[in-house]
Amino acid sequence: MLTTEALNTLINAMTLEEKIGMLHGNGIFETRGVKRLNIPPLKMSDGPMGVRKEFPAASWVAKDLSDDYVTYFLSNTALAATWNEDHAYTFGQSLGSETRSRGKDVILAPGINIIRSPLCGRNFEYMSEDPYLISRMAKPIIKGIQENDVAACLKHYAANNQETDRLSINVEVDERSLEELYLPAFKACLTEEKSLTLMAAYNKLRGDYCCESNFLLQDVLRKRWAYDGVVISDWGACHSTEASALAGLDVEMAVTTDFDDYYFGDPLYEQVKNQIIPMKVIDEKIFRLLSLMNQLNMLDGQRQSGVRNTIEHQQSTLKAAEESIVLLHNDGQILPLDSKQIRSIAVIGENGNRSHADGGGSAEIKALYEHTPLAGLSMYLGGNVKLTYIKGYTSDPNANKDTYFNLREEACRLASNHDLILFVGGLNHDHDTEGKDRTTIELPYEQDLLIQSLKAVNNNIISVNISGSAVDLSTVAKHSKALIQTWYNGMEGGRALAHVLFGQAVPSGKLPFTFGQTLEDYAAHSIGEFPGDNTVHYKDCIFVGYRHFDTHDVTPLYPFGHGLSYSAFKYHDMSVTTIDTSVIVEITVENTGQYEAKEVVQLYVGDQESSEPRPTKELKDFMKINLKPQSTQKLVFTLKKSDFSFYSEKYKKWVMEPGNFILSIGSSSKDIRQSKTILLDVFKEVE
Ligand code: BGC
């Protein structure tokens, strides 16, 4: 590692031209180095589900190499659904190692924007509607990535919650919602687990592009959070030279190949030369970049080389995928299936045999392989159960009513002579994608009609929904004996699904966002504030996701935190004690079922009386535990004053008002098993 003095010596030795070369793209995914001073270029790649395929420096036509295949990891929503930080860490470790093995320095991941609407095209790249769950799951990813001499690039800062007009939309959001919802996960990932780089988003926040927002980049990031890492623009998100340079953007990246013409190219050079922008500002940016390179061992010393496509990466992806699968309902315990009792399964639905890795926009993956559900089932069953696959619907854009009718007829014929129908539907990356939002939460391609027709000929239906966002599952749910939610679940997703269906893995995933019954169930839509028109007003304030459903008595189809098991858990003996500045909550959880299984025990806090509106409850802690049948475990949670506080715009800080609080422990945000009300008035003023 070089000393600070050595870094400053390097800066002093650099010409202005050399400095400018480091501050903007000189390739679509890299900056320029300074050869004579042994400063390498900074090489980046997307993110977040694996390392993206290789592009030439100045073209978006991929190179068509044979050695840029990689592990296709779980999407972020899938990872969040595990509620298991160990998986997040292992994922980060593996992703970091693959990034290094592909010769990159920065991986453009993780994406942590709040899921505000089920229609946002990039929800699959994000994690949750809840900032606490995001923070808990994203921090270990960053830690894992950065243990490989690779920097994470946290994205997209901030309030980038839709794709419609993403390059220009202005987000008007109140201070409290920023503090309580849209900023906390960024804060946690930059201060508690320091992501070495941060991507400034495309959108405007309160009238200013994020790349030139003094509020975001100066007041919050540098001053309040004391962040000294590198801020990189989203690709084409920088719209100015002086304003962005002075606000604190360090590196401008864009999608065009006229690199010298970038705002941080020749125009920046000119403005520094003409003393419009002080050299000091440039030197601070270079210092941050050199410090980053220093921390990644790019300037001297031994650098890790990383590995890719290892069995270990594939195996850990399988394990995480198994844990991400959410069992939504299971009538009469029809699941798990017993392969000895079934002679034939009709797998119906395009997603039953469709791969998803190579889609979605910048998150696309050139996967070494991808096991579809059909492949996973074939591998699991080993030829002992007759498996027949048929599309039943198609995503072909040229399909018309007749096409759907014929596909349905064909599917019904098949369904009538099989023991069981496994309907595998949902979305794909034509919908869950960068650059556009969906316009409805209904399932596309007449899937609701398909399942209704299937039920008429064979009511033994188990359904699997694959999507990165909430969709309207009410019809599918009504016509299925069991319903499973799975995701863009990585290259082992199909095997993971088979393992869960047949009980080789017991489901323990929990929904990281709410599944409503209609679009209007969601706050942003009920008030008509999505996607806005030039400006989008977040009048839903802090009432996003379950905070809205709970508080405004909207009954979801499946609530936040929901997910069933093949086993059963009993919660008992909840107790609460207050010790100085902490509230200690204890509970005993017992596995009363037949299977060794995992449960996510969720702790929510609700303020009973407050001077400001507050959600009925908010997630403040959770633990994922593994219990053998008939065994118990006592859990101890410790809550701090901040867990009872809200952000007061009046006092410009987090405040806790004394009074009654309800502490609720449950298996989902709706399935509360035990709760206690406590009066908090004697908290010592220590935080
Ligand atoms: C996306 C980023 C991505 C970048 C580089 C942008 O369009 O918003 O998430 O990292 O492209 O591909």
Side-chain angles (χ1 to χ4, degrees), residues 265-283:
D266 289 347
L268 184 59
Y269 179 89
E270 289 303 321
Q271 293 206 16
V272 179
K273 225 171 140 216
N274 296 330
Q275 296 180 355
I276 298 167
I277 295 171
M279 184 66 91
K280 185 172 160 283
V281 170
I282 301 299
D283 286 351

Side-chain angles (χ1 to χ4, degrees), residues 46 52 108 122 155-156 166 199 202 234-235 434:
D46 284 301
R52 199 174 177 186
L108 306 172
R122 292 186 90 172
K155 65 191 191 183
H156 309 89
R166 67 172 178 157
M199 188 185 291
Y202 280 127
D234 199 342
W235 270 232
E434 184 172 344

Side-chain angles (χ1 to χ4, degrees), residues 488-523:
Y488 304 110
N489 220 355
M491 66 207 308
E492 292 286 346
R495 280 177 75 207
L497 178 64
H499 291 175
V500 166
L501 286 168
F502 286 90
Q504 180 171 315
V506 176
S508 64
K510 300 276 184 178
L511 293 179
F513 45 79
T514 310
F515 277 62
Q517 314 207 38
T518 69
L519 192 55
E520 288 64 41
D521 283 355
Y522 294 87

